[in-house]
Structure formats: C-alpha cells, structure tokens
Amino acid sequence: MSPHPIIIVGAGLAGLTLGRCLRQHGIAAVILEKTLSLPKNNYGITLHPWAFQPLLNILKVDEGLFRRKLAVDSERQGNGKVSGDILAPGVDADLGTFRCHRGRLESLLQEGQDIRWEHTVQDAATSSQGILLQLRDARSFGTGVLIGTDGVHSQIRKALDPKIELNVLPFVVLNGKRRFAKAEFQDFLTSKLQNGTITQSLQDNILLEISINDYTTEFFDISYNYSRPAREKDPLHRPDRPTSGATDIPEAFYEELGLLTDLQQPFDEVFDPAKVRRDRVLHWLMRSALGNQAEVEHLANQGIVLIGDAIHAMPILGGEGANHALKDGVDLARHIVDHGTGSFQAFIDARYETWKRGVEESETRLANMHGHGNVSI
C-alpha cells in the first residue's frame, strides 16, 4: 500500500462511495472537490438493487430504512415507487428499483470522510516519483494512487488520457424544474402518479416525462424533460455548444411546445409554454464515452484509475450512470482491500466489459425510449 493516502478527485457518487467503503476498512483516502460544499443535488435518481444493495452493509442500514430515508417521496411515507403508469419503451423498472433523492444519498455517504472542498484540480502528471496534482490556486498534492471520479468533464481524464473524446448523441433534451404547493400538485398530478414518482407520455417520437424530486408537507418539487431525436438542421440540437451555453434556450423550443396538442393532465399544465418560460430550463447534451482498454490499463499500471462517468460516460436519459458509479466505487474498494494498490489490472479486467456493455445499452435504451432502434440521424 502507498505510504500516501489515496487521492480521490470528485465528491460525486463514485468518489463518495469509494471513500466511504475504504473508510469502513480503515484505509485512508482524501477526496478533492472543486465546489464550496456538497452540491445541493435536490433531484431524484433511479436506483436498482444490484447497485445499492452492496452499500447497505457499509452504511449499516437495512434496505427498508435505506428506502425510507432516501426515497424522493419519503415525507409522505412513500418508498420511491418508480411509476404509476406504463413507462416508455426502453425504461427499466425492475422489482426493487426505486427513486432516490440524490442529495440525501450524497449527504449520507459523505459522513466521516476527509473531503477537501474548493480544491480544483487543474492538471495532473506522472513521474518516477509518483503522481502530482496541480490545483488552480497553485497548491499541489503528491500521491502514489489517484482515482478520478470527477464526472463527464473529468479534468483527470483530460490531463492524462486526452485522446478519450465525448460522443454527443443525436437527441434533443431540455430539462426544467418547478415547485408546486401541495394542494395544487394533488389536484392534477397525484391521481396520475398513483403513488408512483414518474409519469411519461410519448407522442410520435417526442417523450414528455415528469418526475418527483422532493415532497414536503408544504410543496412538491418536480423535474420535467422534453426529448426527441435530432432533426436535420435542428435549431435545438447544438452538439458544439459550450458548457456555459446550457441555459441559452432557443425560441424554437417554446414554439415546439406550442405545437403539442391534446395533452392530458398533468402534461398540459407542466408543458404550458408560458409557464415553462418562467422556469429554470437547461439544454442537456446526451453524451457517451469509453476509454480504450489498453490506455485504461496503461494508466492503471501507473496507479491511476478512472471510474464512473470519468471513464464510461452514459447519456442522462436512458443511462445508468448513478448505478454504475455506486457499483464502481464498491468494486474498486473491494479490490483495494483484497489486493492493495500495487496493481489494478484485475479490477480493469473485471469491469471493462461491463462498462462497454453499459455504454452500448444506454445508447440503445435512449433510442428505444423515442421509438427508434439506433442513435443515428
């Protein structure tokens, strides 16, 4: 084992899961996170049993308590039931799957961990002495083991394996959020959800989705998605937009909303163009990526492992990014406990085909959600 603590870059689900599992086994790890504090990720994610059940022993909770604490509708004694209606093709709702509040899960995972907030990694390099991380404020960290869990825009990946490029899939996705007073919400949405947390409507190849993010005694927070395959010369498909351009919403979006006809509640209310204009709407790019196995192994032989979206990015819709992040964190911690940090070859060998299959299946699932069999225009 390296005399230095393991450095984990990124306090997302993969990094927090890995750190928490290592801590359970008495292995020192430091998490470097660029934000001021734990991001307020107040939205729901779909978790499958194969991803969250291995965490229960680490967190020392049973599954019932885990669900009651983290379900998006836990305040109304809900258990995060995925759907009250039939989901669009390609969306999984396996037995045991539930909708989890991401912010509460991250808060649970971070307990007791050494997280260095406002530590933005600007560059990383290797030498015969080990791995050196350069921070934006000129501080530096040296380590013998570096785990990159810093997401789809991973600075570690860009610095150490810049040949890996993000693939922007040909789909238009716009996401909005809104808060409703409890009584107002119950009037038009509760009956449709039937104690579930997601409802969808597919019109031709346009998918409308509404999901609960949070529920209190006073209000409901929801997310909604408008998505469809990209078209030729599509003003809403902007694969080259900068990250900062996510909030620049073309007028064509509101015009498209105005063309939707015969919408039933709650879709008529939620996708009303005038009301959407008042919401914070984001233009989401559906990205995927997967590092070449030989290059991933080359990094691993230098004590560098990328996991989660940093190495096998999946589109937000149709992807299982959160689930694979948890799985990666648990499995990598188990490898370190069992084999130390001298070689990560066995971990890469065990996980790579799963990563590849996950990316491929997420792309197919995204297409199937919109009634298409592939992801090409």
Side-chain angles (χ1 to χ4, degrees), residues 4 37 61 91 114 213 256 259 264:
H4 302 287
S37 62
V61 296
V91 180
D114 184 357
N213 279 338
E256 283 194 21
L259 296 176
Q264 303 298 311

Side-chain angles (χ1 to χ4, degrees), residues 131-284:
I131 306 161
L132 182 66
L133 297 177
Q134 193 68 45
L135 272 59
R136 184 174 295 169
D137 60 5
R139 286 178 291 178
S140 61
F141 279 78
T143 183
V145 180
L146 172 63
I147 313 298
T149 67
D150 47 341
V152 67
H153 298 293
S154 170
Q155 192 62 36
I156 301 302
R157 185 189 67 236
K158 292 176 184 177
L160 297 174
D161 199 351
K163 289 181 293 219
I164 300 176
E165 296 184 354
L166 294 172
N167 176 34
V168 178
L169 304 174
F171 287 86
V172 167
V173 181
L174 292 111
N175 167 266
K177 293 180 174 61
R178 195 178 305 169
R179 174 167 291 183
F180 291 91
K182 183 177 177 181
E184 182 182 15
F185 180 94
Q186 288 176 322
D187 285 345
F188 71 89
L189 186 52
T190 301
S191 60
K192 176 65 175 176
L193 287 172
Q194 300 174 19
N195 295 318
T197 56
I198 299 179
T199 186
Q200 295 175 323
S201 176
L202 185 62
Q203 296 201 345
D204 296 323
N205 59 9
I206 297 174
L207 179 63
L208 307 178
E209 178 180 277
I210 303 170
S211 60
I212 294 177
N213 279 338
D214 203 1
Y215 172 103
T216 74
T217 57
E218 299 178 353
F219 63 81
F220 282 88
D221 284 339
I222 68 163
S223 281
Y224 56 88
N225 295 322
Y226 174 96
S227 60
R228 60 167 174 75
R231 302 162 182 164
E232 296 290 345
K233 299 180 181 180
D234 195 331
L236 298 185
H237 183 55
R238 299 180 292 147
D240 298 322
R241 70 154 176 80
T243 303
S244 60
T247 56
D248 299 333
I249 308 301
E251 184 63 26
F253 169 56
Y254 303 104
E255 293 173 358
E256 283 194 21
L257 289 180
L259 296 176
L260 296 173
T261 59
D262 300 322
L263 291 182
Q264 303 298 311
Q265 291 290 25
F267 301 99
D268 187 49
E269 168 75 18
V270 171
F271 290 94
D272 182 318
K275 294 176 181 177
V276 171
R277 284 182 184 275
R278 299 196 295 265
D279 297 334
R280 175 175 169 79
V281 177
L282 297 176
H283 178 270
W284 279 354

Side-chain angles (χ1 to χ4, degrees), residues 58-71:
I58 299 295
L59 297 173
K60 299 186 183 304
V61 296
D62 62 37
E63 186 168 334
L65 179 59
F66 184 80
R67 289 172 176 270
R68 289 194 297 275
K69 287 171 66 78
L70 301 181

Side-chain angles (χ1 to χ4, degrees), residues 33-35 118-122 134-137 139:
E33 169 55 42
K34 65 182 179 181
T35 60
E118 296 185 84
H119 281 54
T120 302
V121 174
Q122 184 167 296
Q134 193 68 45
L135 272 59
R136 184 174 295 169
D137 60 5
R139 286 178 291 178

